[in-house]
Amino acid sequence: VTDTHSNVDDPTRHALLSRIFAAIDATDPDFVLNCGDITEYGSRGEIDAYLATIPDSLQPRVRHVPGNHEVRWDVHGAELYREVFGPAPFSFDAGGLHVVGLDPTTLLQEPGLFGPEDLAWLDRDLRRAGQRPSVLFLHYPLSAHYYYVNDQDVFLETIAPYPVRAIFAGHIH
């Protein structure tokens, strides 16, 4: 899922999200990825309303990365995101895959940037995964005519030696 844009002023969105997550839960997935823009403005109320739409049985299997809406509007947005969802980047193994959650968001900005530190982390993480197929997820689409991440060329060079099989993103609805 992506771009859920939880908004406390839009109860119809939460009713729809509840139905979506119930349908996902019924399939009993190993994991679910949310590619960011979880909220509209990054507020605690929006996060709480979003979390209330996820069945208890599914909550531990939903993994999140932030989108620009989590960090764009409030100087404390990134801090609140990390408090609720944990830090990014992160990785885990499931279903025979190595799954990597990435965060190139930039506080109070629309475009993103990985930066040397996160790219070095990614290189180490993919090296440790060895030949296990990897799936990456983040908010911004990459390559082609999408230039939402200012250092995407270095990112693509970083992952080139590894068996990355898919990159999932949102942002463009």
Side-chain angles (χ1 to χ4, degrees):
V1 297
T2 187
D3 294 272
T4 51
H5 289 277
S6 174
N7 184 334
V8 294
D9 296 324
D10 187 359
T12 58
R13 179 169 293 277
H14 295 113
L16 180 58
L17 283 173
S18 292
R19 288 178 47 214
I20 290 168
F21 281 121
I24 292 170
D25 190 32
T27 68
D28 195 28
D30 288 341
F31 59 90
V32 177
L33 307 177
N34 186 322
C35 293
D37 279 2
I38 300 159
T39 64
E40 188 63 32
Y41 299 107
S43 74
R44 184 61 189 233
E46 290 174 336
I47 291 172
D48 291 343
Y50 163 79
L51 291 172
T53 68
I54 304 172
D56 291 342
S57 57
L58 188 61
Q59 285 220 8
R61 295 177 282 162
V62 181
R63 306 297 178 99
H64 302 83
V65 291
N68 54 295
H69 279 251
E70 276 70 63
V71 303
R72 171 85 196 241
W73 313 112
D74 185 331
V75 70
H76 301 289
E79 180 181 323
L80 178 59
Y81 171 87
R82 284 189 300 275
E83 176 186 313
V84 174
F85 298 107
F90 63 90
S91 64
F92 63 96
D93 296 320
L97 297 171
H98 183 68
V99 182
V100 182
L102 300 168
D103 176 16
T105 60
T106 304
L107 188 61
L108 302 178
Q109 301 292 314
E110 176 73 17
L113 179 76
F114 287 105
E117 196 172 294
D118 281 352
L119 290 172
W121 178 92
L122 178 60
D123 184 60
R124 287 189 307 272
D125 185 72
L126 292 174
R127 187 177 310 117
R128 276 193 300 271
Q131 291 305 306
R132 189 172 328 121
S134 294
V135 172
L136 314 181
F137 74 110
L138 70 157
H139 183 60
Y140 301 106
L142 301 165
S143 198
H145 59 277
Y146 300 115
Y147 288 99
Y148 299 113
V149 178
N150 292 328
D151 56 354
Q152 73 175 356
D153 293 336
V154 180
F155 166 81
L156 293 170
E157 290 169 9
T158 300
I159 67 170
Y162 303 106
V164 173
R165 298 297 184 245
I167 301 173
F168 295 99
H171 191 64
I172 57 173
H173 300 232

